[in-house]
Amino acid sequence: PGATPLLELRGLRVAYGAIEALKGIDLTVGEGEIVALLGGNGAGKTTTLRTISGMLSPRSGEVLLGGDRIDGIKSHDLVRFGIGHVPEGRRVFPRMSVQENLQMGAYRFKSVDAAQLGRVYELFPRLAERRTQLSGTLSGGEQQMLAIGRALMGKPELLLLDEPSMGLAPLVVQQIFEIIKEINAAGTTVLLVEQNAAQALALADRGYVLETGSIAMSGPAREMLADSRIRAAYLGEG
Ligand code: ATP
């Protein structure tokens, strides 16, 4: 790991009115890493991603990208900083075609980069086959691919993925995780939120576990995968 992490959260506190969702978390993502953020329902995973991408403002604490403060910058401006966010539930535009959805992902540029569109279609041949199809008619897995492809059209340096495996069949989950690995190998840093701890840790370099707004555990993914506490709490063992 280099001297300056690509992403750093320092003492991050985020609240919804009186509900404190993040109670001062510290987290780093090094350039080129895949980091898994695990935890049960309501632990604060989505809140963490929404704060990084500027949809929520922290009560206190800092978000740094490449060493620069970015908390307080609005989400549509953050795209310019190289952050791509694939939200929970995918949120593709159902009445637009696959290709129109991908074009929307390039909104930070003056025009759609045909080479980048080609790369996304290469990564997701299924999307290429269905480029004129209305997105609302795609399967769940295809919609997840589209949501990831749309984020890639913004050429992010850091990709935030919120539960990409949610509601998908095991075989499709495997495909999505393979593609995340490929995206990372091509140079994109990844912060992956997952309830599917075993598969996320198998893919990640390091992991963090959130519990009711605090980091309960962190470490190399390999060690976490072998940790009996994690096996008991998240892998349905013990
Ligand atoms: P999930 O897997 O269910 O999405 P999560 O780990 O992503 O869980 P968050 O969605 O970040 O958790 O929620 C963290 C806490 O903040 C929870 O207690 C939740 O009820 C609360 N919360 C989330 N969104 C809101 C909101 N818009 N208004 C009020 N409370 C919220």
Side-chain angles (χ1 to χ4, degrees):
T4 308
L6 180 58
L7 176 75
E8 192 172 1
L9 308 181
R10 289 186 187 158
L12 200 67
R13 307 177 77 96
V14 181
Y16 301 95
I19 300 166
E20 204 168 30
L22 295 179
K23 301 170 182 169
I25 68 165
D26 298 306
L27 179 153
T28 62
V29 182
E31 202 168 332
E33 277 193 311
I34 299 181
V35 171
L37 181 57
L38 312 172
N41 279 324
K45 305 180 300 296
T46 295
T47 301
T48 304
L49 294 194
R50 291 172 67 92
T51 306
I52 295 166
S53 68
M55 298 154 94
L56 294 170
S57 296
R59 283 279 160 91
S60 62
E62 302 178 350
V63 180
L64 298 107
L65 188 72
D68 298 321
R69 290 281 294 271
I70 59 163
D71 46 275
I73 298 176
K74 295 293 172 216
S75 43
H76 67 277
D77 289 323
L78 276 174
V79 181
R80 226 169 287 147
F81 286 73
I83 296 181
H85 187 167
V86 182
E88 197 172 15
R90 343 207 209 275
R91 309 208 177 269
V92 300
F93 304 109
R95 303 168 88 90
M96 286 185 178
S97 71
V98 165
Q99 183 138 319
E100 284 164 346
N101 266 274
L102 293 176
Q103 286 164 342
M104 295 291 286
Y107 71 91
R108 77 161 164 139
F109 305 113
K110 284 200 184 71
S111 60
V112 176
D113 181 352
Q116 186 66 4
L117 189 61
R119 264 179 233 122
V120 169
Y121 281 144
E122 223 170 87
L123 202 55
F124 300 105
R126 291 281 279 278
L127 297 182
E129 288 163 21
R130 288 163 171 72
R131 67 181 78 198
T132 62
Q133 195 171 320
L134 286 187
S135 303
T137 66
L138 297 174
S139 72
E142 290 162 353
Q143 289 192 18
Q144 186 61 61
M145 292 174 191
L146 181 55
I148 296 172
R150 185 177 58 185
L152 291 179
M153 289 302 293
K155 299 185 188 172
E157 205 181 339
L158 173 67
L159 188 62
L160 310 174
L161 296 166
D162 200 343
E163 299 205 29
S165 76
M166 194 170 30
L168 303 181
L171 206 64
V172 182
V173 173
Q174 233 171 54
Q175 286 174 357
I176 299 278
F177 277 43
E178 277 303 315
I179 286 162
I180 294 169
K181 205 194 279 181
E182 274 183 56
I183 291 168
N184 175 252
T188 305
T189 303
V190 174
L191 178 57
L192 171 67
V193 159
E194 264 299 334
Q195 298 230 13
N196 195 335
Q199 271 176 297
L201 288 174
L203 185 73
D205 299 297
R206 290 185 305 113
Y208 291 83
V209 175
L210 261 180
E211 269 174 27
T212 56
S214 302
I215 302 288
M217 268 180 269
S218 65
R222 205 173 289 228
E223 288 174 21
M224 291 179 78
L225 206 46
D227 190 303
S228 57
R229 289 166 300 172
I230 293 193
R231 301 195 75 84
Y234 299 104
L235 307 182
E237 294 178 13

